PDB file of all heavy atoms in Angstrom:
ATOM      1  N   PRO Q 893      94.681 114.914  69.429  1.00 89.00           N
ATOM      2  CA  PRO Q 893      94.152 113.610  69.056  1.00 89.00           C
ATOM      3  C   PRO Q 893      95.022 112.343  69.483  1.00 89.00           C
ATOM      4  O   PRO Q 893      94.447 111.308  69.485  1.00 89.00           O
ATOM      5  CB  PRO Q 893      93.855 113.709  67.629  1.00 89.00           C
ATOM      6  CG  PRO Q 893      94.741 114.800  67.105  1.00 89.00           C
ATOM      7  CD  PRO Q 893      94.939 115.750  68.328  1.00 89.00           C
ATOM      8  N   ALA Q 894      96.234 112.609  69.646  1.00 89.00           N
ATOM      9  CA  ALA Q 894      97.165 111.429  69.917  1.00 89.00           C
ATOM     10  C   ALA Q 894      96.977 111.092  71.465  1.00 89.00           C
ATOM     11  O   ALA Q 894      97.516 110.135  72.009  1.00 89.00           O
ATOM     12  CB  ALA Q 894      98.589 111.743  69.635  1.00 89.00           C
ATOM     13  N   HIS Q 895      96.328 112.005  72.274  1.00 88.00           N
ATOM     14  CA  HIS Q 895      96.251 111.855  73.691  1.00 88.00           C
ATOM     15  C   HIS Q 895      94.679 111.781  74.070  1.00 88.00           C
ATOM     16  O   HIS Q 895      93.937 110.964  73.454  1.00 88.00           O
ATOM     17  CB  HIS Q 895      97.009 113.018  74.360  1.00 88.00           C
ATOM     18  CG  HIS Q 895      97.158 112.983  75.853  1.00 88.00           C
ATOM     19  ND1 HIS Q 895      96.932 111.792  76.520  1.00 88.00           N
ATOM     20  CD2 HIS Q 895      97.695 113.808  76.708  1.00 88.00           C
ATOM     21  CE1 HIS Q 895      97.197 112.028  77.825  1.00 88.00           C
ATOM     22  NE2 HIS Q 895      97.668 113.265  78.003  1.00 88.00           N
ATOM     23  N   GLY Q 896      94.254 112.727  74.822  1.00 87.00           N
ATOM     24  CA  GLY Q 896      92.798 112.694  75.238  1.00 87.00           C
ATOM     25  C   GLY Q 896      91.792 112.903  74.153  1.00 87.00           C
ATOM     26  O   GLY Q 896      90.720 112.489  74.188  1.00 87.00           O
ATOM     27  N   ALA Q 898      91.618 111.602  71.531  1.00 86.00           N
ATOM     28  CA  ALA Q 898      91.405 110.377  70.757  1.00 86.00           C
ATOM     29  C   ALA Q 898      89.935 109.875  70.903  1.00 86.00           C
ATOM     30  O   ALA Q 898      89.318 109.337  69.940  1.00 86.00           O
ATOM     31  CB  ALA Q 898      92.298 109.326  71.185  1.00 86.00           C
ATOM     32  N   ALA Q 922      94.991 102.632  57.224  1.00 94.00           N
ATOM     33  CA  ALA Q 922      95.751 102.727  58.497  1.00 94.00           C
ATOM     34  C   ALA Q 922      97.047 102.069  58.294  1.00 94.00           C
ATOM     35  O   ALA Q 922      98.096 102.415  59.029  1.00 94.00           O
ATOM     36  CB  ALA Q 922      94.929 102.116  59.610  1.00 94.00           C
ATOM     37  N   LYS Q 925     101.760 103.269  54.699  1.00 92.00           N
ATOM     38  CA  LYS Q 925     102.795 104.204  55.224  1.00 92.00           C
ATOM     39  C   LYS Q 925     102.698 105.635  54.686  1.00 92.00           C
ATOM     40  O   LYS Q 925     103.120 106.606  55.282  1.00 92.00           O
ATOM     41  CB  LYS Q 925     104.205 103.619  54.889  1.00 92.00           C
ATOM     42  CG  LYS Q 925     104.660 102.519  55.746  1.00 92.00           C
ATOM     43  CD  LYS Q 925     106.007 102.901  56.425  1.00 92.00           C
ATOM     44  CE  LYS Q 925     106.256 102.194  57.627  1.00 92.00           C
ATOM     45  NZ  LYS Q 925     105.455 102.503  58.732  1.00 92.00           N
ATOM     46  N   ARG Q 930      95.389 107.081  60.866  1.00 93.00           N
ATOM     47  CA  ARG Q 930      95.572 106.023  61.937  1.00 93.00           C
ATOM     48  C   ARG Q 930      94.255 105.603  62.490  1.00 93.00           C
ATOM     49  O   ARG Q 930      93.333 106.397  62.521  1.00 93.00           O
ATOM     50  CB  ARG Q 930      96.444 106.575  63.038  1.00 93.00           C
ATOM     51  CG  ARG Q 930      97.885 106.760  62.746  1.00 93.00           C
ATOM     52  CD  ARG Q 930      98.635 107.042  63.965  1.00 93.00           C
ATOM     53  NE  ARG Q 930     100.084 106.995  63.606  1.00 93.00           N
ATOM     54  CZ  ARG Q 930     101.027 106.810  64.507  1.00 93.00           C
ATOM     55  NH1 ARG Q 930     100.788 106.834  65.743  1.00 93.00           N
ATOM     56  NH2 ARG Q 930     102.317 106.658  64.065  1.00 93.00           N
ATOM     57  N   LEU Q 931      94.170 104.384  62.868  1.00 93.00           N
ATOM     58  CA  LEU Q 931      92.888 103.960  63.558  1.00 93.00           C
ATOM     59  C   LEU Q 931      92.850 104.533  64.924  1.00 93.00           C
ATOM     60  O   LEU Q 931      93.631 104.228  65.777  1.00 93.00           O
ATOM     61  CB  LEU Q 931      92.846 102.431  63.674  1.00 93.00           C
ATOM     62  CG  LEU Q 931      92.382 101.570  62.491  1.00 93.00           C
ATOM     63  CD1 LEU Q 931      92.044 100.207  63.065  1.00 93.00           C
ATOM     64  CD2 LEU Q 931      91.173 102.179  61.738  1.00 93.00           C
ATOM     65  N   MET Q 932      91.970 105.579  65.097  1.00 91.00           N
ATOM     66  CA  MET Q 932      91.891 106.165  66.323  1.00 91.00           C
ATOM     67  C   MET Q 932      91.264 105.227  67.441  1.00 91.00           C
ATOM     68  O   MET Q 932      90.461 104.417  67.155  1.00 91.00           O
ATOM     69  CB  MET Q 932      90.900 107.396  66.270  1.00 91.00           C
ATOM     70  CG  MET Q 932      91.551 108.588  65.477  1.00 91.00           C
ATOM     71  SD  MET Q 932      92.961 109.229  66.489  1.00 91.00           S
ATOM     72  CE  MET Q 932      94.258 109.212  65.268  1.00 91.00           C
ATOM     73  N   GLY Q 933      91.892 105.275  68.647  1.00 90.00           N
ATOM     74  CA  GLY Q 933      91.519 104.384  69.644  1.00 90.00           C
ATOM     75  C   GLY Q 933      92.225 103.073  69.666  1.00 90.00           C
ATOM     76  O   GLY Q 933      91.893 102.156  70.402  1.00 90.00           O
ATOM     77  N   PHE Q 934      93.266 103.061  68.822  1.00 92.00           N
ATOM     78  CA  PHE Q 934      94.114 101.859  68.735  1.00 92.00           C
ATOM     79  C   PHE Q 934      95.511 102.233  69.003  1.00 92.00           C
ATOM     80  O   PHE Q 934      96.008 103.282  68.596  1.00 92.00           O
ATOM     81  CB  PHE Q 934      94.041 101.139  67.390  1.00 92.00           C
ATOM     82  CG  PHE Q 934      92.860 100.324  67.265  1.00 92.00           C
ATOM     83  CD1 PHE Q 934      91.602 100.939  66.996  1.00 92.00           C
ATOM     84  CD2 PHE Q 934      92.871  98.889  67.426  1.00 92.00           C
ATOM     85  CE1 PHE Q 934      90.480 100.266  66.816  1.00 92.00           C
ATOM     86  CE2 PHE Q 934      91.635  98.184  67.229  1.00 92.00           C
ATOM     87  CZ  PHE Q 934      90.386  98.836  66.955  1.00 92.00           C
ATOM     88  N   GLY Q 935      96.268 101.359  69.824  1.00 91.00           N
ATOM     89  CA  GLY Q 935      97.639 101.598  70.054  1.00 91.00           C
ATOM     90  C   GLY Q 935      97.860 102.424  71.325  1.00 91.00           C
ATOM     91  O   GLY Q 935      97.004 103.126  71.760  1.00 91.00           O
ATOM     92  N   HIS Q 936      99.009 102.226  71.975  1.00 90.00           N
ATOM     93  CA  HIS Q 936      99.413 103.031  73.202  1.00 90.00           C
ATOM     94  C   HIS Q 936     100.870 103.002  73.260  1.00 90.00           C
ATOM     95  O   HIS Q 936     101.526 102.075  72.967  1.00 90.00           O
ATOM     96  CB  HIS Q 936      98.745 102.361  74.439  1.00 90.00           C
ATOM     97  CG  HIS Q 936      98.670 103.395  75.536  1.00 90.00           C
ATOM     98  ND1 HIS Q 936      99.759 103.483  76.453  1.00 90.00           N
ATOM     99  CD2 HIS Q 936      97.742 104.177  75.957  1.00 90.00           C
ATOM    100  CE1 HIS Q 936      99.448 104.457  77.314  1.00 90.00           C
ATOM    101  NE2 HIS Q 936      98.211 104.881  77.081  1.00 90.00           N
ATOM    102  N   ARG Q 937     101.424 104.166  73.744  1.00 86.00           N
ATOM    103  CA  ARG Q 937     102.839 104.282  73.990  1.00 86.00           C
ATOM    104  C   ARG Q 937     103.315 103.244  74.934  1.00 86.00           C
ATOM    105  O   ARG Q 937     104.392 102.695  74.752  1.00 86.00           O
ATOM    106  CB  ARG Q 937     103.166 105.663  74.437  1.00 86.00           C
ATOM    107  CG  ARG Q 937     104.653 105.803  74.924  1.00 86.00           C
ATOM    108  CD  ARG Q 937     105.683 105.554  73.891  1.00 86.00           C
ATOM    109  NE  ARG Q 937     105.646 106.335  72.852  1.00 86.00           N
ATOM    110  CZ  ARG Q 937     106.198 107.634  72.712  1.00 86.00           C
ATOM    111  NH1 ARG Q 937     106.738 108.192  73.755  1.00 86.00           N
ATOM    112  NH2 ARG Q 937     106.179 108.293  71.647  1.00 86.00           N
ATOM    113  N   LYS Q 940     101.609  97.451  75.497  1.00 84.00           N
ATOM    114  CA  LYS Q 940     101.893  96.784  74.250  1.00 84.00           C
ATOM    115  C   LYS Q 940     101.218  95.445  74.228  1.00 84.00           C
ATOM    116  O   LYS Q 940     101.551  94.658  73.299  1.00 84.00           O
ATOM    117  CB  LYS Q 940     103.485  96.682  74.135  1.00 84.00           C
ATOM    118  CG  LYS Q 940     104.139  98.040  73.941  1.00 84.00           C
ATOM    119  CD  LYS Q 940     103.661  98.819  72.810  1.00 84.00           C
ATOM    120  CE  LYS Q 940     104.183 100.307  72.659  1.00 84.00           C
ATOM    121  NZ  LYS Q 940     103.515 101.210  71.805  1.00 84.00           N
ATOM    122  N   ARG Q 945      92.533  99.282  81.225  1.00 92.00           N
ATOM    123  CA  ARG Q 945      91.373 100.203  81.285  1.00 92.00           C
ATOM    124  C   ARG Q 945      90.370  99.894  80.160  1.00 92.00           C
ATOM    125  O   ARG Q 945      89.125  99.950  80.328  1.00 92.00           O
ATOM    126  CB  ARG Q 945      91.767 101.691  81.192  1.00 92.00           C
ATOM    127  CG  ARG Q 945      92.771 102.123  82.193  1.00 92.00           C
ATOM    128  CD  ARG Q 945      93.425 103.396  81.724  1.00 92.00           C
ATOM    129  NE  ARG Q 945      94.049 103.411  80.513  1.00 92.00           N
ATOM    130  CZ  ARG Q 945      94.514 104.445  79.914  1.00 92.00           C
ATOM    131  NH1 ARG Q 945      94.327 105.646  80.358  1.00 92.00           N
ATOM    132  NH2 ARG Q 945      95.109 104.340  78.726  1.00 92.00           N
ATOM    133  N   TYR Q 983      99.045  93.259  60.750  1.00 93.00           N
ATOM    134  CA  TYR Q 983      99.681  94.447  60.983  1.00 93.00           C
ATOM    135  C   TYR Q 983      99.502  94.908  62.450  1.00 93.00           C
ATOM    136  O   TYR Q 983     100.425  95.189  63.177  1.00 93.00           O
ATOM    137  CB  TYR Q 983      99.181  95.572  59.973  1.00 93.00           C
ATOM    138  CG  TYR Q 983      99.662  96.933  60.270  1.00 93.00           C
ATOM    139  CD1 TYR Q 983     100.811  97.440  59.588  1.00 93.00           C
ATOM    140  CD2 TYR Q 983      98.957  97.767  61.157  1.00 93.00           C
ATOM    141  CE1 TYR Q 983     101.275  98.737  59.841  1.00 93.00           C
ATOM    142  CE2 TYR Q 983      99.376  99.099  61.374  1.00 93.00           C
ATOM    143  CZ  TYR Q 983     100.489  99.578  60.665  1.00 93.00           C
ATOM    144  OH  TYR Q 983     100.870 100.807  60.856  1.00 93.00           O
ATOM    145  N   PHE Q 984      98.239  94.902  62.824  1.00 91.00           N
ATOM    146  CA  PHE Q 984      97.929  95.382  64.175  1.00 91.00           C
ATOM    147  C   PHE Q 984      98.370  94.426  65.212  1.00 91.00           C
ATOM    148  O   PHE Q 984      98.944  94.861  66.294  1.00 91.00           O
ATOM    149  CB  PHE Q 984      96.346  95.526  64.263  1.00 91.00           C
ATOM    150  CG  PHE Q 984      95.958  96.841  63.555  1.00 91.00           C
ATOM    151  CD1 PHE Q 984      95.674  96.712  62.239  1.00 91.00           C
ATOM    152  CD2 PHE Q 984      95.869  97.978  64.243  1.00 91.00           C
ATOM    153  CE1 PHE Q 984      95.201  97.854  61.496  1.00 91.00           C
ATOM    154  CE2 PHE Q 984      95.484  99.230  63.508  1.00 91.00           C
ATOM    155  CZ  PHE Q 984      95.199  99.046  62.147  1.00 91.00           C
ATOM    156  N   LYS Q 987     102.286  94.777  65.470  1.00 91.00           N
ATOM    157  CA  LYS Q 987     102.789  95.957  66.134  1.00 91.00           C
ATOM    158  C   LYS Q 987     102.111  96.147  67.472  1.00 91.00           C
ATOM    159  O   LYS Q 987     102.322  97.186  68.118  1.00 91.00           O
ATOM    160  CB  LYS Q 987     102.358  97.223  65.191  1.00 91.00           C
ATOM    161  CG  LYS Q 987     103.159  97.262  63.945  1.00 91.00           C
ATOM    162  CD  LYS Q 987     102.897  98.553  63.221  1.00 91.00           C
ATOM    163  CE  LYS Q 987     103.567  98.582  61.865  1.00 91.00           C
ATOM    164  NZ  LYS Q 987     105.060  98.481  61.862  1.00 91.00           N
ATOM    165  N   LEU Q 989      98.980  96.602  68.502  1.00 91.00           N
ATOM    166  CA  LEU Q 989      98.064  97.777  68.470  1.00 91.00           C
ATOM    167  C   LEU Q 989      96.744  97.331  68.858  1.00 91.00           C
ATOM    168  O   LEU Q 989      95.919  96.730  68.085  1.00 91.00           O
ATOM    169  CB  LEU Q 989      98.022  98.445  67.094  1.00 91.00           C
ATOM    170  CG  LEU Q 989      99.415  98.993  66.573  1.00 91.00           C
ATOM    171  CD1 LEU Q 989      99.240  99.407  65.081  1.00 91.00           C
ATOM    172  CD2 LEU Q 989      99.810 100.209  67.414  1.00 91.00           C
ATOM    173  N   ASN Q 992      92.477 100.925  72.814  1.00 89.00           N
ATOM    174  CA  ASN Q 992      92.681 101.503  74.066  1.00 89.00           C
ATOM    175  C   ASN Q 992      91.595 102.036  74.725  1.00 89.00           C
ATOM    176  O   ASN Q 992      90.439 101.882  74.224  1.00 89.00           O
ATOM    177  CB  ASN Q 992      93.882 102.613  73.849  1.00 89.00           C
ATOM    178  CG  ASN Q 992      93.385 103.784  72.971  1.00 89.00           C
ATOM    179  OD1 ASN Q 992      92.318 104.275  73.017  1.00 89.00           O
ATOM    180  ND2 ASN Q 992      94.263 104.068  71.981  1.00 89.00           N
ATOM    181  N   ASP Q 994      90.137 104.830  75.006  1.00 86.00           N
ATOM    182  CA  ASP Q 994      89.318 105.806  74.396  1.00 86.00           C
ATOM    183  C   ASP Q 994      88.501 105.204  73.249  1.00 86.00           C
ATOM    184  O   ASP Q 994      87.486 105.828  72.824  1.00 86.00           O
ATOM    185  CB  ASP Q 994      90.199 106.907  73.781  1.00 86.00           C
ATOM    186  CG  ASP Q 994      90.720 107.810  74.888  1.00 86.00           C
ATOM    187  OD1 ASP Q 994      90.101 107.962  75.898  1.00 86.00           O
ATOM    188  OD2 ASP Q 994      91.824 108.317  74.676  1.00 86.00           O
ATOM    189  N   PHE Q1015      87.334 113.622  79.875  1.00 95.00           N
ATOM    190  CA  PHE Q1015      88.654 113.087  80.204  1.00 95.00           C
ATOM    191  C   PHE Q1015      89.357 114.088  81.184  1.00 95.00           C
ATOM    192  O   PHE Q1015      89.921 113.756  82.176  1.00 95.00           O
ATOM    193  CB  PHE Q1015      89.344 112.884  78.911  1.00 95.00           C
ATOM    194  CG  PHE Q1015      90.658 111.980  78.986  1.00 95.00           C
ATOM    195  CD1 PHE Q1015      91.098 111.415  77.903  1.00 95.00           C
ATOM    196  CD2 PHE Q1015      91.374 111.883  80.181  1.00 95.00           C
ATOM    197  CE1 PHE Q1015      92.185 110.545  77.946  1.00 95.00           C
ATOM    198  CE2 PHE Q1015      92.507 111.111  80.244  1.00 95.00           C
ATOM    199  CZ  PHE Q1015      92.884 110.439  79.098  1.00 95.00           C
TER     200      PHE Q1015
HETATM  201  N1  CMC N1418      96.812 103.012  63.511  1.00 77.83           N
HETATM  202  C1  CMC N1418      97.712 102.524  62.590  1.00 77.83           C
HETATM  203  N2  CMC N1418      98.974 102.416  62.812  1.00 77.83           N
HETATM  204  C2  CMC N1418      99.499 102.740  64.069  1.00 77.83           C
HETATM  205  C3  CMC N1418      98.544 103.247  65.035  1.00 77.83           C
HETATM  206  C4  CMC N1418      97.178 103.345  64.780  1.00 77.83           C
HETATM  207  N3  CMC N1418      96.313 103.789  65.655  1.00 77.83           N
HETATM  208  N4  CMC N1418      99.335 103.500  66.194  1.00 77.83           N
HETATM  209  C5  CMC N1418     100.549 103.208  65.911  1.00 77.83           C
HETATM  210  N5  CMC N1418     100.697 102.756  64.643  1.00 77.83           N
HETATM  211  C6  CMC N1418     101.914 102.282  63.966  1.00 77.83           C
HETATM  212  C7  CMC N1418     102.772 103.364  63.561  1.00 77.83           C
HETATM  213  O1  CMC N1418     102.554 103.852  62.153  1.00 77.83           O
HETATM  214  C8  CMC N1418     104.131 102.882  63.671  1.00 77.83           C
HETATM  215  O2  CMC N1418     104.392 102.083  62.546  1.00 77.83           O
HETATM  216  P1  CMC N1418     105.954 101.877  62.010  1.00 77.83           P
HETATM  217  O3  CMC N1418     106.721 101.193  63.158  1.00 77.83           O
HETATM  218  O4  CMC N1418     105.759 101.005  60.785  1.00 77.83           O
HETATM  219  O5  CMC N1418     106.419 103.303  61.712  1.00 77.83           O
HETATM  220  C9  CMC N1418     104.015 101.880  64.854  1.00 77.83           C
HETATM  221  O6  CMC N1418     102.609 101.523  64.935  1.00 77.83           O
HETATM  222  C10 CMC N1418     104.434 102.549  66.245  1.00 77.83           C
HETATM  223  O7  CMC N1418     103.692 103.751  66.333  1.00 77.83           O
HETATM  224  P2  CMC N1418     104.369 104.994  67.097  1.00 77.83           P
HETATM  225  O8  CMC N1418     103.589 106.317  66.667  1.00 77.83           O
HETATM  226  O9  CMC N1418     105.840 104.969  67.021  1.00 77.83           O
HETATM  227  O10 CMC N1418     103.891 104.657  68.640  1.00 77.83           O
HETATM  228  P3  CMC N1418     103.800 105.691  69.779  1.00 77.83           P
HETATM  229  O11 CMC N1418     103.970 104.847  71.006  1.00 77.83           O
HETATM  230  O12 CMC N1418     104.676 106.826  69.561  1.00 77.83           O
HETATM  231  O13 CMC N1418     102.228 106.127  69.595  1.00 77.83           O
HETATM  232  C11 CMC N1418      99.984 106.497  70.020  1.00 77.83           C
HETATM  233  C12 CMC N1418     101.299 105.811  70.530  1.00 77.83           C
HETATM  234  C13 CMC N1418      98.887 106.261  71.059  1.00 77.83           C
HETATM  235  C14 CMC N1418     100.245 107.997  69.863  1.00 77.83           C
HETATM  236  C15 CMC N1418      99.552 105.874  68.604  1.00 77.83           C
HETATM  237  O14 CMC N1418      99.352 104.418  68.893  1.00 77.83           O
HETATM  238  C16 CMC N1418      98.293 106.537  68.046  1.00 77.83           C
HETATM  239  O15 CMC N1418      98.517 107.548  67.389  1.00 77.83           O
HETATM  240  N6  CMC N1418      97.112 105.959  68.283  1.00 77.83           N
HETATM  241  C17 CMC N1418      95.895 106.598  67.848  1.00 77.83           C
HETATM  242  C18 CMC N1418      95.497 107.658  68.758  1.00 77.83           C
HETATM  243  C19 CMC N1418      94.947 107.194  70.080  1.00 77.83           C
HETATM  244  O16 CMC N1418      94.104 106.264  70.152  1.00 77.83           O
HETATM  245  N7  CMC N1418      95.409 107.804  71.178  1.00 77.83           N
HETATM  246  C20 CMC N1418      94.903 107.534  72.520  1.00 77.83           C
HETATM  247  C21 CMC N1418      95.966 106.923  73.450  1.00 77.83           C
HETATM  248  S1  CMC N1418      95.126 106.306  74.876  1.00 77.83           S
HETATM  249  C22 CMC N1418      94.604 107.647  75.800  1.00 77.83           C
HETATM  250  C23 CMC N1418      95.711 108.432  76.464  1.00 77.83           C
HETATM  251  O17 CMC N1418      96.344 107.795  77.349  1.00 77.83           O
HETATM  252  O18 CMC N1418      95.825 109.482  76.154  1.00 77.83           O
END
Side-chain angles (χ1 to χ4, degrees):
H895 190 8
K925 281 237 159 291
R930 283 186 170 201
L931 275 197
M932 286 293 130
F934 282 78
H936 198 274
R937 167 60 65 79
K940 296 301 176 196
R945 303 167 302 169
Y983 173 93
F984 287 87
K987 292 190 186 299
L989 300 170
N992 57 48
D994 287 330
F1015 196 155

